[in-house]
Amino acid sequence: MSDYDFYDAQSEASQIKTRIVTKYFWFWSRVMISHARRQKCNLAYFDLYAGPGQYKDGTPSTPLIILEQAIADPSLRKLLVTYFNDNEHAETLRENIYNLPGVSTLSHPPIVSGEDVDSQFEQIFSSIRLVPSFTFIDPFGYKGVTLALMEAVLKDWGCELVLFFSYNRINAAIENKTFDEHTEKLFGRTRLRNLRSALVGRRPFEREALILDAFARALKEMGFEFVLPFTFKRSDMKRTSHHLIFISKHPLAYTVMKEIMAKESTDSTQGVASFSYTKSLSRDETPLLYVLDRPIDELGEDLLEKFAGRTMSMKQVFKRHHIGSRFVEKNYKTALLQLEADRKIQTSPPPSKRKGNTFGDMVSVTFPNR
């Protein structure tokens, strides 16, 4: 699809992507506003591949929606600094922002540039201490997207990132030596070499799992433990087009984004959101992604094994288990209710003393020894 066609009208996939980003930005800004007031600092939103700001049919895209949220909120209106970059659409974006109702009420006028995203961006972000910032990197391909850039925008407190991971293009480039300069910056030279060896003879779903896991490992080694991908399939639903990857240092941020992505999933199995994942490999080959493809039927058994001999609240079970899985809080309550019905756990208070068929946050669970 050409750039011209892409911006004619918003596709359903783009709608989902925009909702995920803007819903999370709203949560993030609510949390960060109180910090900004205490520290007497601003908040920032960076969009490095912003596009024109709206589609030709008039539908606003992420930049305008973010600004509309800021305009509507007195605190954000005062505190938010915004920077939008696009090397093809800067003039159109600037015009669309200028025509946005209420934009003049922002204490910090939006900054728009038309630069290529390159090593200069890495150097600038690396050289300054960032205020709490939310960054969206949404390129058509992968040029300019590097581990160094992600580390630079994530290095300071309160900084989080959503990345468009162009899987179909990255997958094709990994084994093409012509693109070594770009793929090495995305995975690291040694990791790319090992990845190429691991991909030999693999089927498509195995390649996808290994590539995502290698990227997640690179981020984790830099200190960004919480990595959560949301997959977009092609229209034939047989191949992955791209992933929207959330990267954070904070478990609460991860938990909230997981809930947002779960609600935007197009299907679920036994109440567990799909996140559109393809089949994962074994636990040994891709430990970071293995549990993302497990059905809820296995959740109860895993809890029995992991927490054997322990007594803890439902909330503690959730917090200590859900990182790296696609399970959200309600899935744990469902699994624990089933274990309780099967008399595989003991609970306090017992079902007879709880209102309705519920499993509250503070219900105590005792897992038997194994």
Side-chain angles (χ1 to χ4, degrees):
M1 178 180 290
S2 70
D3 190 29
Y4 177 85
D5 292 333
F6 181 85
Y7 287 111
D8 276 354
Q10 190 177 34
S11 67
E12 184 177 359
S14 291
Q15 291 174 23
I16 293 172
K17 178 174 63 176
T18 296
R19 285 200 300 267
I20 289 173
V21 172
T22 54
K23 283 181 179 179
Y24 185 79
F25 171 79
W26 184 249
F27 160 79
W28 173 85
S29 66
R30 297 300 88 199
V31 173
M32 291 300 164
I33 281 173
S34 59
H35 169 82
R37 286 172 177 161
R38 289 194 304 270
Q39 298 299 317
K40 296 182 180 180
C41 67
N42 292 317
L43 304 177
Y45 175 80
F46 303 117
D47 192 334
L48 303 190
Y49 298 84
Q54 70 179 28
Y55 295 85
K56 290 184 173 68
D57 64 359
T59 302
S61 60
T62 307
L64 295 193
I65 295 175
I66 295 292
L67 290 173
E68 287 173 344
Q69 290 181 350
I71 291 167
D73 183 84
S75 296
L76 270 183
R77 200 185 306 153
K78 180 180 179 181
L79 296 170
L80 188 66
V81 175
T82 54
Y83 171 75
F84 303 97
N85 177 74
D86 196 281
N87 65 352
E88 293 185 27
H89 302 283
E91 287 303 318
T92 304
L93 175 60
R94 190 176 288 110
E95 181 180 353
N96 286 331
I97 289 175
Y98 177 81
N99 291 325
L100 189 65
V103 71
S104 61
T105 65
L106 296 171
S107 296
H108 306 280
I111 301 170
V112 179
S113 69
E115 306 296 325
D116 286 327
V117 177
D118 54 20
S119 58
Q120 180 182 357
F121 276 74
E122 299 171 10
Q123 294 167 7
I124 292 172
F125 281 108
S126 295
S127 65
I128 59 176
R129 182 173 180 81
L130 296 173
V131 299
S133 307
F134 182 44
T135 302
F136 185 31
I137 301 179
D138 185 15
F140 273 99
Y142 48 83
K143 184 180 178 181
V145 180
T146 67
L147 291 175
L149 176 61
M150 285 178 273
E151 184 174 28
V153 299
L154 284 165
K155 68 183 187 305
D156 297 307
W157 187 87
C159 293
E160 294 174 357
L161 168 67
V162 171
L163 169 70
F164 179 101
F165 188 83
S166 186
Y167 173 75
N168 55 344
R169 296 189 181 188
I170 293 169
N171 179 42
I174 281 174
E175 295 178 85
N176 189 333
K177 298 287 186 178
T178 304
F179 303 109
D180 275 2
E181 178 185 356
H182 301 300
T183 50
E184 284 181 2
K185 289 180 179 180
L186 190 59
F187 292 94
R189 181 173 297 177
T190 301
R191 181 170 284 101
L192 179 62
R193 183 174 63 248
N194 294 337
L195 178 59
R196 282 173 171 161
S197 298
L199 293 177
V200 175
R202 296 290 191 167
R203 291 174 290 175
F205 78 86
E206 295 174 320
R207 289 182 63 90
E208 184 174 355
L210 286 166
I211 290 169
L212 276 176
D213 196 73
F215 184 63
R217 285 173 181 270
L219 293 167
K220 188 170 183 179
E221 287 178 8
M222 293 193 299
F224 311 122
E225 181 178 355
F226 303 104
V227 180
L228 184 63
F230 188 98
T231 303
F232 291 86
K233 297 286 186 179
R234 292 180 181 273
S235 57
D236 61 10
M237 296 301 291
K238 293 181 181 179
R239 289 187 295 168
T240 293
S241 169
H242 64 275
H243 299 270
L244 198 66
I245 302 181
F246 174 68
I247 308 165
S248 177
K249 303 184 289 287
H250 201 285
L252 175 60
Y254 177 92
T255 302
V256 171
M257 180 57 97
K258 184 189 284 189
E259 290 283 355
I260 291 171
M261 287 183 171
K263 290 177 181 177
E264 292 296 337
S265 299
T266 54
D267 61 284
S268 63
T269 301
Q270 298 178 327
V272 180
S274 66
F275 292 84
S276 297
Y277 272 95
T278 54
K279 185 179 180 182
S280 296
L281 301 183
S282 70
R283 185 191 299 268
D284 292 335
E285 289 185 286
T286 57
L288 293 176
L289 295 176
Y290 172 75
V291 290
L292 291 170
D293 196 47
R294 299 172 63 197
I296 200 170
D297 287 347
E298 297 181 26
L299 176 57
E301 284 300 315
D302 198 49
L303 296 179
L304 289 171
E305 180 178 344
K306 183 176 180 64
F307 300 123
R310 301 179 65 179
T311 297
M312 53 209 304
S313 69
M314 193 293 300
K315 199 70 171 181
Q316 289 174 321
V317 171
F318 168 71
K319 286 183 176 181
R320 295 180 188 181
H321 188 275
H322 85 103
I323 302 299
S325 80
R326 59 177 169 143
F327 300 119
V328 295
E329 189 170 303
K330 69 177 182 179
N331 300 142
Y332 287 85
K333 293 185 177 184
T334 299
L336 291 171
L337 280 170
Q338 186 59 54
L339 291 175
E340 183 180 58
D342 294 341
R343 298 184 178 180
K344 293 182 177 180
I345 58 173
Q346 293 182 338
T347 60
S348 179
S352 60
K353 294 186 178 180
R354 302 200 304 263
K355 183 180 290 187
N357 188 28
T358 60
F359 210 104
D361 291 353
M362 301 313 297
V363 170
S364 177
V365 183
T366 299
F367 295 92
N369 288 308
R370 285 200 159 188

